[in-house]
Amino acid sequence: MKAELDKQWLPVRPRRLRGSAGVRAMVRECRVTTDDLIQPLFVIDGEGPAEAIESLPGQRRLPIKDLVQECRELQELGIRGVALFPSLDPALKTEGGEEALNPDTLVLRAVRAVRGACPELLILTDIALDPYTTHGHDGVLNAEGDDVDNDATVRILCEMAVLHAAAGVPFVAPSDMMDGRVGAIRAALDAGGHSGTGIVAYSAKFNSAFYGPFRDAVGSSKAAGTRLLSKATYQLDPANPRSAEIELSQDEAEGADVLMVKPAGAYLDIIRMAREMSQQPIAAYQVSGEYAQIHAAAQLGWLDLKSIRDESLLAIKRAGADWILTYFARDFATDCQGMR
Ligand code: PBG
């Protein structure tokens, strides 16, 4: 048996291409770089101090002054984009989310400050009402209070997008999942003289339990006082790739510049589908729960934080994402710099 093996001619020995660090680097098929990453950041009003977010270790709600400093540092680390999320004083929240249309609302003051300090930095702002509504839904409710009113919400989102564009946001990011909002926002932006403002559409956004820590961070977790308890009437059913395909192709047809899949790690099949369907750039959002579970396992000593972080990002890239929104952006970039 041994003699036979010795004589065996094996033309294909894949291990030859894994034999050294040098050859492994030269045949590596995909890489994550700081150019791919967007850091989500939470902003609060006032002079501070920054507030820790328990379920998102290492992430904080930042007053504008600290936010600007954070953006400067991210840029120095090679990160090119941030996604800003306001965490509002509950006193400003209403049924109808009116604060979203205040031209001087927190997130717009934050945008102006960051634009002034880091004009090159790409800023994404969420177009959705959940930070502004008492019930935490992404839109306004119908008269019965048992669903989000699609078309009334879209009208508000259009006004909101125009306000954001006027504040200098280069890409608005509708994350609400209302029907027809991308086309309506595109038309409103163009009519308002903002044809240069892009749309990063949360196209395939699933009704996921992975958003829990984010809702803690912005205080949108309670659907209090409403009969609509979940976001299942507008966000996609996690079981439905074909529904995701419809959403992706509609948003592309309506003029989205970038199509997003969210969450990322548990939806790699959807990222791959988006990549194959469309020639537009694909973004994927590694959401708060994905980040939290990696940290939790690392805190228990059960998984190695950096290795899992890098492997999770690589998987999202490999599936076909061009942009990755991730709470790990800063840490990843910091480690990249250490290696230079
Ligand atoms: C809401 C919004 C959510 C996230 C981003 N925008 C949560 C939700 O749909 O309730 C989640 C992001 C994360 O979990 O990191 N418009």
Side-chain angles (χ1 to χ4, degrees), residues 17-28 31:
L17 296 179
R18 303 200 284 270
S20 69
V23 74
R24 287 195 296 273
M26 292 178 77
V27 301
R28 193 153 293 137
R31 283 188 172 78

Side-chain angles (χ1 to χ4, degrees), residues 138 175-177 205-208 211 215 231-237:
D138 290 30
S175 68
D176 56 293
M177 291 300 285
K205 177 172 179 179
F206 289 87
N207 181 31
S208 170
Y211 306 147
R215 292 177 188 167
K231 300 191 175 186
T233 69
Y234 44 106
Q235 298 180 349
L236 284 168
D237 185 331

Side-chain angles (χ1 to χ4, degrees), residues 4 6 16 23 25 29 46 91 107 111 145 179-180 189 202 233 290 318:
E4 254 171 64
D6 282 347
R16 281 194 288 259
V23 74
E29 296 172 47
V107 77
V111 165
D179 293 337
L189 288 172
Y202 286 75
T233 69
E290 300 180 68
R318 193 188 63 231

Side-chain angles (χ1 to χ4, degrees), residues 100-122:
L101 298 184
N102 172 359
D104 211 31
T105 190
L106 172 61
V107 77
L108 296 181
R109 281 182 278 126
V111 165
R112 289 192 279 263
V114 173
R115 292 289 292 166
C118 311
E120 301 293 313
L121 191 67
L122 216 72

Side-chain angles (χ1 to χ4, degrees), residues 271-333:
I271 296 174
R272 170 48 56 109
M273 180 177 74
R275 172 69 292 146
E276 286 172 1
M277 282 173 58
S278 173
Q279 303 306 317
Q280 299 298 121
I282 303 300
Y285 197 146
Q286 183 182 48
V287 299
S288 57
E290 300 180 68
Y291 175 87
Q293 67 180 359
I294 292 172
H295 266 280
Q299 270 174 28
L300 286 166
W302 292 353
L303 290 174
D304 179 65
L305 180 66
K306 281 187 191 177
S307 312
I308 297 288
R309 174 194 76 195
D310 293 352
E311 191 175 330
S312 68
L313 294 172
L314 187 66
I316 295 165
K317 183 81 189 278
R318 193 188 63 231
D322 301 289
W323 293 2
I324 307 173
L325 286 84
T326 173
Y327 300 94
F328 286 124
R330 188 193 167 111
D331 289 349
F332 180 91

Side-chain angles (χ1 to χ4, degrees), residues 8 95 97 134 149 169 175 182 187 197-198 206 225 237 322:
Q8 202 173 38
E95 255 316 284
T134 38
D149 184 331
V169 171
S175 68
V182 170
T197 305
F206 289 87
D237 185 331
D322 301 289

